[in-house]
Amino acid sequence: MSLVRIHGTNSADDKKHLNAFSAVALTIAAYLMIIIILENIFTFPLWARIITFLFLLFLLSSPLGIAIKAQREDTTRLSPTFATQRSPLVDCPETTTSTKFSASQDSVAYHELPGEESQVKAEFDDKKLKDEEDMNILQSVCTLNFWLLFVAMLCGMGSGLATVNNISQIGESLGYPTSAINSLVSLWSIWNFLGRFGGGYVSDIVLHRMGWERPSFIAITLATMSVGHIVVASGFPGNLYVGSIIVGVCYGCQWSLMPTITYEIFGVRHMGTIFNTIAIASPVGSYVCSVRIIGYIYDNVASGEGNSCNGTHCFMLSFLIMASVAFVGCLVAFLLFIRTRRFYKQVVLRRLGHS
């Protein structure tokens, strides 16, 4: 915490540095994905492993260079020589007066005067915005929107986490080699990251530019996750590669969208408490899906040596149930989208416009 400083800024140049951090993160994810895939195809000699490791260290240290460059640009921009420049507004204030501009400005101001109806609507929206921003955890729990979001996350995060918890055992039952199973677990982390990054990025663009409500993306990702569970249940050759990509990306999207929706619906004042309360849905859903569904069914169908099971039937029924759970979460998220649609148009988009 001794390294943390509050840095006030209003410069648009910060965006390019933040984009540079994002580009580095995406580059590292792509690099690791390529290396993992190549290691399953070829056997790297020692010198190749050293080179790939050194290049990875370079990528991991590159954000420090971005920070140093940003600090230098800030120092240059805020240097004392910049303050010595004279403004024409200070030197010749009388030359800035324009009767034509003043008249047009008055005309625009006249037309922008709110009528009685629009003023009442604005006051209503302000009150609604204040009420939402002042919501605490007890007030939030008493709303239907809280429980709709909680149930949607329970279905999505629970079934997604149950998949990664059992992906090794699924691979063994389907006859995947050990190296492929280890790669699947590693690649899952990359799909999870891409889902978190892409889900937030795409939903931001669509919300700001097109006005689409963010809960609709929860419904879309849960519907897609349901398809991923069906792919895992099908058992065709290579199904775990396809299924893990779909489920991993959609699972990551849940963790990107849920905190943002929590802030937008319940406000930022008590966001930490409300967010972590909704996040309880992840371990609860994982326990129900992993232990009470997948584990219970696997124990009943296992008949091999050491209570093991081989074949597509070991997890087919489990993941068909997982697909149904994700689809139920999709319906719940769609109901949340319907309930918050008007709120997003009246409050959230207006809040974004003010910011």
Side-chain angles (χ1 to χ4, degrees):
M1 293 302 296
S2 61
L3 302 176
V4 176
R5 296 289 184 273
I6 297 177
H7 180 64
T9 178
N10 57 0
S11 172
D13 293 336
D14 288 340
K15 184 176 180 180
K16 70 177 182 181
H17 300 305
L18 294 175
N19 289 338
F21 282 125
S22 299
V24 170
L26 290 172
T27 302
I28 292 174
Y31 177 75
L32 289 173
M33 180 180 64
I34 293 173
I35 293 299
I36 291 172
I37 294 174
L38 290 178
E39 284 182 342
N40 280 275
I41 301 175
F42 308 104
T43 301
F44 282 11
L46 179 61
W47 62 268
R49 292 180 179 273
I50 293 175
I51 292 175
T52 56
F53 175 70
L54 292 176
F55 186 70
L56 178 61
L57 290 180
F58 168 75
L59 291 177
L60 292 173
S61 61
S62 56
L64 181 61
I66 298 173
I68 294 174
K69 181 181 178 181
Q71 184 66 33
R72 288 178 178 175
E73 290 184 3
D74 283 346
T75 303
T76 304
R77 187 169 58 250
L78 300 176
S79 61
T81 57
F82 180 78
T84 61
Q85 297 179 357
R86 300 284 295 179
S87 172
L89 295 177
V90 177
D91 294 337
C92 305
E94 67 279 358
T95 60
T96 61
T97 305
S98 172
T99 57
K100 181 179 178 182
F101 174 77
S102 300
S104 62
Q105 188 180 37
D106 292 342
S107 176
V108 172
Y110 172 78
H111 289 292
E112 288 180 350
L113 288 175
E116 182 178 353
E117 182 180 351
S118 60
Q119 186 174 1
V120 172
K121 182 177 182 300
E123 291 176 356
F124 172 77
D125 290 344
D126 287 337
K127 183 178 183 301
K128 192 171 184 179
L129 177 61
K130 184 178 183 302
D131 291 342
E132 294 296 334
E133 288 182 339
D134 288 340
M135 267 196 176
N136 56 35
I137 181 61
L138 295 178
Q139 293 170 331
S140 302
V141 169
C142 294
T143 64
L144 180 59
N145 290 339
F146 176 92
W147 292 107
L148 290 176
L149 183 58
F150 184 90
V151 173
M153 293 301 96
L154 186 144
C155 296
M157 295 179 177
S159 62
L161 199 55
T163 303
V164 68
N165 287 343
N166 294 274
I167 196 169
S168 297
Q169 203 165 5
I170 298 170
E172 291 175 1
S173 67
L174 295 177
Y176 282 74
T178 303
S179 59
I181 295 174
N182 294 335
S183 299
L184 282 170
V185 176
S186 301
L187 289 172
W188 171 276
S189 300
I190 298 177
W191 311 139
N192 182 15
F193 159 75
L194 292 177
R196 296 184 186 221
F197 184 90
Y201 183 78
V202 173
S203 65
D204 275 346
I205 291 178
V206 177
L207 175 65
H208 286 256
R209 296 183 182 179
M210 303 175 60
W212 282 23
E213 296 77 9
R214 217 182 294 265
S216 62
F217 286 90
I218 291 280
I220 292 172
T221 54
L222 285 172
T224 308
M225 180 180 284
S226 180
V227 175
H229 289 313
I230 294 174
V231 171
V232 175
S234 63
F236 63 83
N239 69 319
L240 273 187
Y241 292 102
V242 180
S244 64
I245 293 175
I246 298 174
V247 178
V249 170
C250 293
Y251 174 77
C253 287
Q254 309 299 311
W255 280 108
S256 175
L257 294 170
M258 186 268 282
T260 315
I261 293 174
T262 301
Y263 149 69
E264 290 171 345
I265 295 179
F266 303 108
V268 71
R269 188 183 298 268
H270 302 282
M271 178 191 168
T273 307
I274 299 172
F275 158 70
N276 283 288
T277 304
I278 298 176
I280 296 175
S282 177
V284 172
S286 175
Y287 170 77
V288 173
C289 294
S290 296
V291 179
R292 295 302 178 183
I293 298 177
I294 296 179
Y296 177 78
I297 295 176
Y298 183 88
D299 290 340
N300 286 335
V301 299
S303 58
E305 183 180 354
N307 199 31
S308 61
C309 181
N310 296 303
T312 58
H313 67 284
C314 301
F315 291 94
M316 179 178 290
L317 178 58
S318 300
F319 276 87
L320 289 177
I321 296 175
M322 293 295 101
S324 302
V325 169
F327 186 72
V328 169
C330 171
L331 297 179
V332 173
F334 184 75
L335 180 58
L336 178 65
F337 160 70
I338 296 297
R339 282 182 51 85
T340 58
R341 194 172 185 181
R342 183 180 178 185
F343 171 78
Y344 264 82
K345 294 185 182 301
Q346 291 182 347
V347 178
V348 176
L349 292 177
R350 186 162 170 260
R351 181 193 298 157
L352 292 174
H354 286 173
S355 62

